[in-house]
Amino acid sequence: MIPAFLTRRLVRGHEALPPEIYLPLVDSLYQDNRTLLSGTICVAVAIFTTYWKTGQILLLYCAVAIVIVACARGVLMRAYARARATVATPEVARRWELRYVVGAAASLALLGIWCYVAFVCTSDAYAHLVSFSMTIVYAGGIFGRNYGNPRFVVVQILCAWAPMTAALLIYGNVYHWIFAFFLAPFFLGIKYIAERLRRTLLDAVVASRDMSLLAKRFDTALNNMPHGLCMFDAKRRIVVANQKLNLLMGLPADFELKGLSLPAFAERIVEAGLMSHLNARSLIDSLDIRLSGSEDAAFAMDMQDGRTFEFTVQPMENGGMVVLVEDITERKIAEAKINQLARFDALTGLPNRTVLRDRMERALGDCRSDHMCAVHFVDLDQFKQVNDTLGHTRGDMLLAVVAERLRNGVRDADVIARFGGDEFVILQAPITSLDQAEALATHVLDALGGTYDLEGHKVVVTGSIGIALATSPIDPDQFLRNADMALYQAKADGRGRWHWFEAKMAANAQARRNLELDLRQAVEAEGFELYYQPLFNLKTRRIMACEALLRWPHNERGMVSPAEFIPVAEEMGLIIEIGNQVLYKACLECRRWPGDTAVAVNLSSIQFERSNVPALVRETLAAANLPAHRLEIEITESTLLQDTKRTRADLHQLAELGVKISLDDFGTAYSSLSYLHSFPLHKVKIDQSFLQGLGDDERRVTLLRGMTRLSAQLGLRVVVEGVETDEQLELLAAEDSIDEVQGYLLCRPMPASDLRKLLYASYVAPAPASLRPSQTRKHVA
């Protein structure tokens, strides 16, 4: 049994060896028992001969001990052979190694004892020579088998060197002592040889292990590549190929490509049914061309099974080449889809703006008087209603059907593109006369018009078209803008028609853009002014309220009419900010007026639709410190038509604040009498159109009288606008149901400063006996 401390010291020699090297090293100790058998026989015979010659009984004991130890070691080797499969870890292998070393050390120690007995107990030269030489030879053999662990070598050296040295020192004379002295460097030399052998062999084993591991890793990486790979040497023979290449080429996984020439490799591809002989020849030529570096390294080829392979060639220094093979079928399909999405509309399949512009640039570049180009800007007239009522899904269905009708109605040379939303553009080129463009526009309108069946829903749609003509090269963007302006005019003319672009349209469009820019700047600078027109009470003959009227003084345009810029402000969405400014300024001004004179402010229907009007009025009154009863909000019937529920709630909130609500221009729109009792109205303003021709038409008088009396009976105050003649005023004054009048005959709109003078003058002075035009017009500045 080996002590634990010795075991720990002995095993340190293998701590640096990895298991894949250490385990085979231990296994090699037990591999060949023939050397043990032959060595034991030789040693036993040698010891018996020394015993036979000298008669020394101790030598016989040594021979018997040697045989016993050899038998024990043989049993150990047979036990290892049975347990070999279980020796899978360094810990188990280390125990078997220790057992082997113990047996080898015991054998070597007995040989040393044999040598010691031969020198000390006999004087026979034969016994000396045989014992000494056999011990040296046996020790060398054991050292060679145990070179793997330097500490094992040291232990075995000690087992042999100690008894031999002792024998020489005890037995002999000075010559034996000299010989004993030389044993030390001899055994040290054996130790160094064993270490050198260990380093050399282990380095070779480690290098072989690393090369094998690298080869396995390379093989694993090679066969797990997403691409096929093959390497050709300078003679165009395959030296390396992975399994992916076999899979791509339709070859069996175990088919060996290594050693095949390039033509033979191409022939195998033909046999697999991927290529024709012609394509195989083209493949060989393409690889040779890329090897010379005269063309790009990569090229693609279509296979007969529908796939597309990309071959990438990388030349090598020795004249060979590496070829990568990639299946790019899916990538090619994806690229085609991306190109389709980039150049064609996904919904209709029509070309998009990119394709349209490219074709338009080419067509316009060839434009001349006998080779003209026309562009038709097509827009669906009722598309928004379809989206709003039937949903966007059916709206998309309508667009797809419209696209198909357009596609069937043009020449192959013409281009139809979806421009966006429900807008389409037709590029008609070349044409030689205007009649061709007009004929196409008429045909398109006929094709678009009619009934569409959208999943059981019948819709009727018409189209409008703007046409622009180019007889010489023109900027494509300008060309489209011209057609767009013509489309705008076609819609303004009543829809369902086409219209040619005219030069004045560009001027009008530019004027519109300038107006929009100036209007935006005016809103930011609060560059609007308020004029005020009084409303007179027919009974008390005093000014009851003043209507705030918006004016825009422009440095270049002069005083811009509200009829010109209000619609534009509504389209731009600026009317909300303008309305907020007007409301605040009017409330501030009203606070400066005498008595309870009220101010009437018009609010746009867009303000009710897009903002919180009650909150706005509440905040404005608080900021201006104006009592709510001095503010009248004038609305039109279009406001009441938008969202009845929300509008009614907003108006009720205003009424609860104390603000009076007036219905302006009554009788000019839908004119539903239900408004008069459904909404919290305070006042009704009869439009001036009812005063026109009043004296000559009794029916008009009856209509006016009926409207005013009905409103009065419902508890509403009645105001008649647009009084411009004495006859109109006298007729109105005779009607008891009319409370207030307003018009140019009485007083024109005036700036705030002039109105204040008029108000204070009329407030201090006594009321006139009758409301005569001459008495009010003298106050107008």
Side-chain angles (χ1 to χ4, degrees):
M1 191 71 176
I2 299 177
F5 79 92
L6 181 59
T7 301
R8 288 193 297 269
R9 292 181 61 85
L10 290 176
V11 300
R12 289 174 187 168
H14 287 310
E15 288 178 354
L17 293 178
E20 60 269 21
I21 295 178
Y22 176 59
L23 294 179
L25 194 64
V26 173
D27 186 69
S28 67
L29 299 177
Y30 291 92
Q31 284 302 307
D32 193 359
N33 55 10
R34 292 176 298 179
T35 57
L36 175 62
L37 178 62
S38 61
T40 301
I41 293 174
C42 291
V43 171
V45 170
I47 297 177
F48 275 114
T49 59
T50 56
Y51 164 70
W52 176 74
K53 190 170 187 305
T54 62
Q56 177 54 252
I57 191 63
L58 292 177
L59 296 178
L60 179 61
Y61 294 157
C62 289
V64 174
I66 283 290
V67 173
I68 293 173
V69 170
C71 291
R73 293 180 66 190
V75 172
L76 180 65
M77 295 185 74
R78 291 178 63 84
Y80 177 83
R82 290 192 298 271
R84 183 179 182 185
T86 64
V87 185
T89 63
E91 292 74 15
V92 177
R94 193 169 292 117
R95 290 196 294 269
W96 285 102
E97 185 183 33
L98 290 175
R99 293 166 187 167
Y100 180 87
V101 171
V102 168
S107 298
L108 199 55
L110 288 174
L111 288 175
I113 293 172
W114 172 39
C115 185
Y116 178 83
V117 172
F119 274 86
V120 174
C121 299
T122 69
S123 58
D124 186 79
Y126 172 76
H128 295 173
L129 178 61
V130 172
S131 63
F132 200 88
S133 59
M134 288 296 291
T135 302
I136 292 295
V137 171
Y138 202 88
I142 292 180
F143 298 157
R145 289 180 66 88
N146 292 276
Y147 68 89
N149 194 318
R151 289 183 174 83
F152 290 169
V153 173
V154 171
V155 171
Q156 293 168 5
I157 286 175
L158 291 176
C159 291
W161 172 76
M164 293 176 70
T165 302
L168 291 174
L169 293 176
I170 295 173
Y171 168 78
N173 51 29
V174 65
Y175 297 105
H176 289 84
W177 296 347
I178 294 173
F179 190 27
F181 174 77
F182 282 112
L183 280 180
F186 170 74
F187 279 105
L188 287 175
I190 290 179
K191 175 180 178 297
Y192 293 141
I193 290 173
E195 290 181 351
R196 182 66 177 271
L197 178 63
R198 174 181 181 274
R199 286 195 298 269
T200 301
L201 294 181
L202 286 182
D203 289 346
V205 171
V206 171
S208 176
R209 186 280 310 264
D210 291 344
M211 297 240 350
S212 176
L213 183 61
L214 181 62
K216 289 181 180 178
R217 290 175 177 172
F218 175 75
D219 187 65
T220 301
L222 193 66
N223 289 313
N224 285 278
M225 290 178 60
H227 309 325
L229 179 143
C230 59
M231 181 184 296
F232 292 88
D233 59 15
K235 295 180 180 180
R236 300 294 189 275
R237 291 190 175 275
I238 298 177
V239 294
V240 174
N242 65 355
Q243 294 178 359
K244 183 66 175 180
L245 184 63
N246 289 41
L247 181 63
L248 288 174
M249 297 305 173
L251 302 174
D254 57 349
F255 186 84
E256 184 61 54
L257 291 175
K258 185 176 179 180
L260 289 181
S261 63
L262 179 55
F265 172 62
E267 185 62 29
R268 295 296 181 277
I269 301 176
V270 173
E271 293 175 358
L274 288 184
M275 285 187 179
S276 64
H277 286 283
L278 181 62
N279 286 343
R281 182 69 260 172
S282 176
L283 173 63
I284 296 174
D285 295 341
S286 298
L287 291 175
D288 288 337
I289 292 173
R290 266 73 182 182
L291 184 61
S292 64
S294 58
E295 292 191 16
D296 292 338
F299 63 94
M301 293 191 70
D302 294 329
M303 302 294 107
Q304 292 188 154
D305 61 356
R307 291 182 295 170
T308 301
F309 288 170
E310 183 179 70
F311 297 83
T312 304
V313 182
Q314 180 61 49
M316 298 191 301
E317 294 181 356
N318 62 357
M321 60 180 171
V322 176
V323 179
L324 280 176
V325 183
E326 180 183 1
D327 185 351
I328 62 169
T329 307
E330 293 185 1
R331 189 179 77 190
K332 189 176 180 181
I333 294 174
E335 289 174 351
K337 289 182 178 178
I338 292 173
N339 181 67
Q340 176 75 15
L341 292 175
R343 298 179 61 82
F344 293 87
D345 177 58
L347 176 63
T348 62
L350 295 176
N352 59 12
R353 296 188 185 192
T354 302
V355 178
L356 174 66
R357 184 177 180 86
D358 180 64
R359 292 289 299 273
M360 190 176 292
E361 287 177 348
R362 283 186 286 172
L364 291 174
D366 298 333
C367 230
R368 54 184 184 270
S369 58
D370 59 344
H371 195 277
M372 297 181 291
C373 180
V375 63
H376 303 251
F377 214 122
V378 184
D379 182 83
L380 302 183
D381 294 329
Q382 291 84 18
F383 181 71
K384 186 177 185 301
Q385 292 181 353
V386 175
N387 262 350
D388 293 343
T389 58
L390 301 182
H392 290 277
T393 300
R394 293 187 177 90
D396 291 345
M397 294 175 57
L398 175 60
L399 292 176
V401 177
V402 167
E404 187 62 27
R405 292 190 181 186
L406 290 175
R407 191 182 289 111
N408 295 332
V410 301
R411 303 173 304 178
D412 293 338
D414 299 334
V415 179
I416 310 173
R418 185 185 177 198
F419 204 71
D422 61 335
E423 296 178 334
F424 299 86
V425 173
I426 302 175
L427 176 65
Q428 187 183 15
I431 59 174
T432 57
S433 68
L434 302 183
D435 294 339
Q436 290 179 272
E438 294 177 354
L440 176 60
T442 302
H443 178 72
V444 168
L445 290 180
D446 293 340
L448 293 182
T451 303
Y452 293 78
D453 187 352
L454 306 178
E455 293 184 339
H457 296 272
K458 305 292 184 179
V459 297
V460 178
V461 176
T462 59
S464 299
I465 302 178
I467 314 173
L469 184 72
T471 58
S472 60
I474 184 177
D475 177 64
D477 292 333
Q478 184 60 52
F479 196 30
L480 282 172
R481 283 196 295 270
N482 293 347
D484 191 23
M485 286 185 279
L487 172 64
Y488 183 83
Q489 187 61 48
K491 285 183 169 293
D493 290 346
R495 304 175 184 270
R497 64 192 64 202
W498 53 263
H499 201 289
W500 280 104
F501 168 75
E502 300 172 358
K504 65 179 181 180
M505 295 180 184
N508 294 338
Q510 184 60 45
R512 168 66 179 252
R513 284 191 290 271
N514 294 338
L515 178 61
E516 291 176 354
L517 180 61
D518 292 346
L519 187 58
R520 191 175 299 277
Q521 293 174 349
V523 172
E524 294 175 355
E526 297 187 11
F528 298 100
E529 293 182 2
L530 291 183
Y531 275 48
Y532 298 89
Q533 187 175 24
L535 284 75
F536 293 89
N537 189 308
L538 282 175
K539 298 177 179 61
T540 64
R541 307 179 184 90
R542 290 190 178 276
I543 297 176
M544 302 301 297
C546 296
E547 182 180 2
L549 302 174
L550 187 62
R551 296 293 184 265
W552 179 17
H554 193 279
N555 294 334
E556 299 177 358
R557 302 172 186 266
M559 190 66 73
V560 183
S561 170
E564 182 179 352
F565 70 84
I566 289 296
V568 178
E570 289 181 338
E571 291 181 15
M572 297 175 64
L574 296 177
I575 194 63
I576 297 177
E577 180 61 27
I578 294 174
N580 296 346
Q581 294 179 13
V582 169
L583 181 62
Y584 181 67
K585 290 181 179 180
C587 289
L588 282 179
E589 179 62 28
C590 181
R591 195 180 62 178
R592 305 173 65 180
W593 298 343
D596 288 334
T597 306
V599 64
V601 179
N602 289 275
L603 291 187
S604 168
S605 60
I606 297 178
Q607 286 181 271
F608 279 88
E609 178 184 359
R610 303 181 187 178
S611 63
N612 189 341
V613 172
L616 171 66
V617 171
R618 188 182 301 110
E619 294 171 1
T620 304
L621 290 174
N625 194 23
L626 181 71
H629 71 274
R630 296 187 64 185
L631 174 63
E632 294 182 6
I633 297 298
E634 293 190 0
I635 60 174
T636 60
E637 295 178 50
S638 60
T639 302
L640 306 179
L641 286 171
Q642 288 181 355
D643 186 347
T644 305
K645 185 175 181 180
R646 177 183 173 184
T647 304
R648 183 180 291 109
D650 288 347
L651 294 179
H652 275 290
Q653 290 185 51
L654 292 175
E656 291 172 0
L657 289 175
V659 176
K660 297 179 176 61
I661 311 298
S662 299
L663 182 59
D664 195 15
D665 298 333
F666 183 67
T668 59
Y670 189 68
S671 300
S672 174
L673 296 178
S674 63
Y675 296 154
L676 301 182
H677 69 85
S678 298
F679 293 93
L681 302 175
H682 172 74
K683 183 184 294 185
V684 172
K685 299 183 72 174
I686 307 299
D687 187 70
Q688 62 180 353
S689 60
F690 288 93
L691 297 181
Q692 297 174 0
L694 193 62
D696 302 329
D697 191 343
E698 187 62 28
R699 296 180 62 186
R700 286 182 175 271
V701 175
T702 303
L703 179 60
L704 176 62
R705 184 178 295 121
M707 292 176 61
T708 59
R709 291 179 180 178
L710 177 61
S711 300
Q713 290 173 1
L714 292 174
L716 302 177
R717 293 185 64 82
V718 179
V719 180
V720 179
E721 301 177 296
V723 180
E724 297 181 352
T725 66
D726 293 334
E727 293 77 12
Q728 292 173 348
L729 181 59
E730 291 175 0
L731 182 62
L732 296 177
E735 181 59 45
D736 293 336
S737 60
I738 299 176
D739 300 292
E740 300 172 14
V741 289
Q742 179 185 16
Y744 280 11
L745 176 67
L746 308 173
C747 187
R748 289 178 173 272
M750 63 186 68
S753 58
D754 293 342
L755 177 66
R756 284 197 298 272
K757 296 176 182 179
L758 175 62
L759 288 175
Y760 278 101
S762 61
Y763 186 77
V764 175
S770 63
L771 192 60
R772 295 190 296 270
S774 59
Q775 292 178 307
T776 56
R777 283 181 288 187
K778 66 180 181 180
H779 296 291
V780 180

